[in-house]
Amino acid sequence: MTAKLIVGLDGGGSGGRAVEYAKKLAKLMGGAELIVVYVIEWSPFSFQTPEENAERHKRRELEIEAAETRVVSPAVKALKADGVKVRGMVKHGHVAETLDRIATEEKADQIVVGRTSEAGIANRIFGSSTANLVMHASVPVTVVA
Amino acid sequence: MKTRTFMAASGLAFVATSAVAQEAKSIDQTVNEVFAKATGPFVNLIFAPLPGTSFPWIVLWLVVAASIFTLYFGFIQFRAFRHSIELVKGDYSDPNDAGEVSHFQALATALSGTVGLGNIAGVAVAVGIGGPGATFWMILAGLLGMASKFTECTLGVKYRNEYPDGTVSGGPMYYMSKGFAERNVPGGKALAVAFSVFCILGALGGGNMFQANQAHAQISGILGDYPGWITGLVFATVVFAVIVGGIKSIARVTEKVVPFMGVLYVGTALIIILMNIEHIGWAFGQIFAGAFTGLGVAGGLVGALIQGFKRAAFSNEAGVGSAAIAHSAVRTKEPITEGFVSLLEPFIDTVVICTMTALVITISGVQIMDPETGRFILADNGMIATTGDVQGVALTSAAFATGFSWFPYVLAVAVILFAFSTMISWSYYGLKAWTYLFGEGKTTELVFKIIFCVFVVIGAAASLGPVIDFSDAAIFAMAVVNITALYFLMPIVKKELISYQTRLKSGEIKKFNH
């Protein structure tokens, strides 16, 4: 039975470092499956105009496609080239909740994420996605600096 | 940035006022006369009384329909109320559909089209003519209307068009043409065309002119009297920027501010009611007594009833068909779930928000009552006399001012924002009807959008009477066509309902969140 690691991507440096670290872990474990996930922040409780609603399905497809081609596919390709067993995923939702839900569904052993790179007042008040994940996750979480 | 331009423009408009005031008054008057003459026959037809009475047939039409749907679906508005809330909370939403339009979003969008002046100015008109008793009939109409909404929104989702590029278009015109064909009933297409014509008129009337008119009344109430066409031009420019220029940021800001305004409005109303808690029993007494005796208002019991039903229908739009357009973008495998969600709309709009307004007006004592007889004193125009001689949105404003003297300013901002968001919503409804008639395409859409903006100016310039008559008439004309179609199509909704309930009971339809 191989171990499963969920890796959170953010399209930036901290996601990249999470991937690197997860790769190292996988090697140390003597082989593990990585699932790299990009979550598009989205709330079902936001307010939209009728026009936005009518176009929502189309926009969602476009968002998924953009995330797929720009972030997930390159990461998957690079990992495969290094001989790592890997799958990619793009999801909409609350970042921390979604990563945790996927981890539960996939029966993953661990979640690896980068430390939040963004700073600012909003994060001070509401907490970053990483902090939320660490507090609520149902599997161990590794935060990569 | 845009708001600043808007403020600057209104400021400028105000400065320009005195110079052009004389000339402008005559522009307003001309607009008003031409408009009243042009719309008169249509208005008279819609509000024609039943032979031998003073009761407009259209009010009976709406109430009978809402009652029939209520009975046909076995009081669905009460039976499914809890399930509706669970659906809005997302308990039954598949996490894999995240990123699609949720039940909450469809409801919120539809609500921002209906919550607005109907709840503030419309209620004031109802209570101003019909007395507190109108509130009772308004609440009753709201409760019954939940069943109409349920029926039309289920059909709206079931028969919407989904295009290859992923966009959706729905509404009564689609369930009329497709649903009738499916049931082998002729005339669906004709109804769809008639509905679309009335929907365009409704979009220009209640969804546009009435909003512009009352927004102007608010602004001029604060800045001092100045010609309406100036407000109209400013509004038309901002609306133009959004619907033609595609400046989404303005719409997005409004969509986010409006819900907070709604909460603020209800919150303030609640505080005023709590501050007068010792009068609340008396106020409800007035509402019940007025409902059955009229307390001396014009037309007595029937007068109160007509006003209550009319304003409720104008406010929550149940049976009108507009909501079916707004709700049809939701992501669901079960059209009936959107029907359940939509039945919350008349509840929030009419049973909660309108009642708040009516209670505040009643408690405030702005309406003058003869202390000896306990009956209202009528002004010359047949409306109940008020302290300061106010009507429409100004009556609501005066009533709220008895609690908080600064509230009229907040209300003015709320009215302007509500008016604006309602205009944006209705420009979309009208556009859907327009493209149904004339086909989709950049030029045809642009033509409608420009006409829409022109009517903003006309609406702001005309006086309240003719505007309100035309707005009501156009919206009720939509209801005539829409409800006719609903009668033919309600067995389809019944079938959906039975199938859904069976699967819900058997556990085939499950909650995703526990």
Side-chain angles (χ1 to χ4, degrees):
Chain A
M1 198 190 115
T2 49
K4 256 188 208 172
L5 304 177
I6 306 283
V7 187
L9 296 177
D10 63 356
S14 72
R17 286 195 297 280
V19 171
E20 283 307 311
Y21 188 75
K23 200 163 81 183
K24 204 159 91 188
L25 272 184
K27 291 234 164 90
L28 287 173
M29 287 170 166
E33 184 186 6
L34 299 194
I35 302 173
V36 291
V37 184
Y38 183 82
V39 181
I40 302 166
E41 185 71 55
W42 183 83
S43 161
F45 300 110
S46 60
F47 297 96
Q48 309 208 72
T49 63
E51 213 159 355
E52 282 176 313
N53 280 349
E55 288 174 356
R56 186 60 220 160
H57 183 69
K58 181 170 93 180
R59 292 205 59 95
R60 177 178 184 263
E61 307 274 284
L62 292 176
E63 286 164 6
I64 292 176
E65 198 188 299
E68 190 77 55
T69 51
R70 277 189 227 151
V71 186
V72 177
S73 284
V76 169
K77 213 178 273 171
L79 285 166
K80 273 198 177 145
D82 287 346
V84 181
K85 194 179 170 200
V86 62
R87 270 190 290 151
M89 253 186 215
V90 177
K91 294 281 174 189
H92 277 82
H94 184 267
V95 176
E97 272 172 22
T98 311
L99 286 177
D100 187 45
R101 189 169 51 78
I102 294 171
T104 318
E105 277 172 13
E106 296 281 347
K107 300 196 173 56
D109 300 278
Q110 202 179 125
I111 302 174
V112 183
V113 288
R115 196 179 62 190
T116 321
S117 41
E118 73 262 36
I121 192 87
N123 276 339
R124 289 285 173 85
I125 298 170
F126 301 113
S128 70
S129 299
T130 307
N132 281 332
L133 182 65
V134 169
M135 282 190 284
H136 302 292
S138 24
V139 296
V141 179
T142 301
V143 181
V144 181
Chain B
M1 195 54 214
K2 274 290 151 193
T3 13
R4 201 174 301 159
T5 328
F6 177 74
M7 296 301 277
S10 16
L12 248 174
F14 181 57
V15 176
T17 303
S18 42
V20 283
Q22 286 304 322
E23 193 187 337
K25 270 288 158 224
S26 65
I27 294 181
D28 278 11
Q29 269 163 16
T30 324
V31 168
N32 199 31
E33 275 164 28
V34 173
F35 182 73
K37 214 173 268 170
T39 56
F42 174 55
V43 171
N44 290 337
L45 178 71
I46 293 291
F47 291 113
L50 290 169
T53 63
S54 60
F55 200 92
W57 65 275
I58 185 72
V59 173
L60 195 70
W61 170 259
L62 284 168
V63 178
V64 168
S67 312
I68 288 177
F69 298 135
T70 301
L71 294 174
Y72 186 70
F73 295 113
F75 293 90
I76 191 73
Q77 57 267 65
F78 304 114
R79 284 199 295 139
F81 195 79
R82 216 183 118 196
H83 187 62
S84 305
I85 291 172
E86 288 173 340
L87 284 166
V88 174
K89 274 165 55 197
D91 290 358
Y92 289 88
S93 309
D94 185 343
N96 288 321
D97 283 341
E100 301 276 4
V101 177
S102 64
H103 283 303
F104 176 89
Q105 284 167 331
L107 177 67
T109 305
L111 266 175
S112 81
T114 62
V115 172
L117 286 168
N119 306 68
I120 301 172
V123 173
V125 172
V127 179
I129 301 173
T135 317
F136 175 86
W137 300 110
M138 214 168 57
I139 295 173
L140 186 67
L143 289 172
L144 290 173
M146 290 164 79
S148 311
K149 210 55 119 174
F150 164 77
T151 317
E152 62 186 4
C153 290
T154 303
L155 291 167
V157 175
K158 188 171 166 64
Y159 292 105
R160 65 184 167 188
N161 271 6
E162 289 180 56
Y163 298 106
D165 72 347
T167 56
V168 291
S169 248
M173 47 281 183
Y174 296 101
Y175 58 69
M176 283 164 186
S177 50
K178 289 199 220 168
F180 275 53
E182 196 182 295
R183 299 208 67 203
N184 285 321
V185 181
K189 196 87 189 165
L191 278 181
V193 170
F195 176 83
S196 300
V197 170
F198 292 135
C199 182
I200 292 166
L201 293 179
L204 297 176
N208 178 337
M209 297 174 63
F210 176 67
Q211 311 295 328
N213 186 282
Q214 290 294 286
H216 171 68
Q218 270 296 297
I219 302 172
S220 63
I222 288 173
L223 295 181
D225 197 22
Y226 71 96
W229 59 267
I230 296 178
T231 312
L233 270 184
V234 176
F235 256 80
T237 311
V238 185
V239 171
F240 186 87
V242 174
I243 65 175
V244 181
I247 301 177
K248 293 237 169 68
S249 51
I250 304 177
R252 215 166 279 151
V253 168
T254 343
E255 292 304 314
K256 283 176 180 69
V257 178
V258 161
F260 291 108
M261 279 294 178
V263 171
L264 183 67
Y265 183 78
V266 173
T268 314
L270 267 179
I271 294 172
I272 295 179
I273 292 166
L274 286 177
M275 282 174 6
N276 293 284
I277 193 78
E278 72 275 15
H279 293 132
I280 190 92
W282 171 85
F284 274 108
Q286 289 282 300
I287 289 171
F288 280 105
F292 298 103
T293 65
L295 293 172
V297 304
L301 187 163
V302 179
L305 185 146
I306 291 174
Q307 282 306 321
F309 279 144
K310 247 171 93 169
R311 291 296 118 211
F314 188 70
S315 171
N316 65 40
E317 296 166 16
V320 167
S322 52
I325 304 177
H327 281 278
S328 61
V330 73
R331 179 69 173 187
T332 176
K333 293 177 191 79
E334 306 287 341
I336 198 102
T337 54
E338 198 53 31
F340 289 135
V341 168
S342 71
L343 63 77
L344 295 173
E345 219 188 297
F347 184 81
I348 298 170
D349 180 277
T350 308
V351 180
V352 178
I353 306 184
C354 286
T355 307
M356 292 286 171
T357 307
L359 276 176
V360 171
I361 294 177
T362 305
I363 284 178
S364 73
V366 177
Q367 293 185 312
I368 303 168
M369 189 180 255
D370 187 334
E372 274 177 25
T373 60
R375 295 166 79 83
F376 287 108
I377 295 168
L378 298 188
D380 298 335
N381 55 9
M383 297 182 92
I384 296 169
T386 51
T387 324
D389 200 18
V390 286
Q391 53 164 303
V393 72
L395 172 58
T396 312
S397 194
F400 273 83
T402 59
F404 299 100
S405 56
W406 46 265
F407 196 75
Y409 298 101
V410 178
L411 192 69
V413 177
V415 163
I416 293 164
L417 285 169
F418 282 148
F420 186 71
S421 80
T422 306
M423 279 183 197
I424 300 295
S425 296
W426 273 92
S427 76
Y428 178 78
Y429 304 157
L431 185 67
K432 287 286 125 185
W434 183 269
T435 54
Y436 181 82
L437 289 178
F438 303 110
E440 323 228 341
K442 283 240 146 44
T443 326
T444 42
E445 289 184 11
L446 186 66
V447 171
F448 174 76
K449 287 171 176 174
I450 290 172
I451 296 175
F452 193 83
C453 291
V454 170
F455 270 81
V456 176
V457 184
I458 302 177
S463 69
L464 181 63
V467 167
I468 226 176
D469 288 345
F470 172 70
S471 305
D472 286 359
I475 281 185
F476 291 139
M478 288 167 72
V480 173
V481 185
N482 186 44
I483 287 172
T484 310
L486 294 183
Y487 285 143
F488 282 102
L489 299 174
M490 63 186 191
I492 297 176
V493 181
K494 183 90 158 205
K495 219 159 86 193
E496 294 267 337
L497 176 64
I498 292 169
S499 148
Y500 182 82
Q501 282 180 323
T502 323
R503 282 176 294 143
L504 190 65
K505 233 175 241 161
S506 74
E508 198 184 324
I509 295 169
K510 288 192 294 276
K511 279 192 185 185
F512 285 93
N513 290 336
H514 296 280

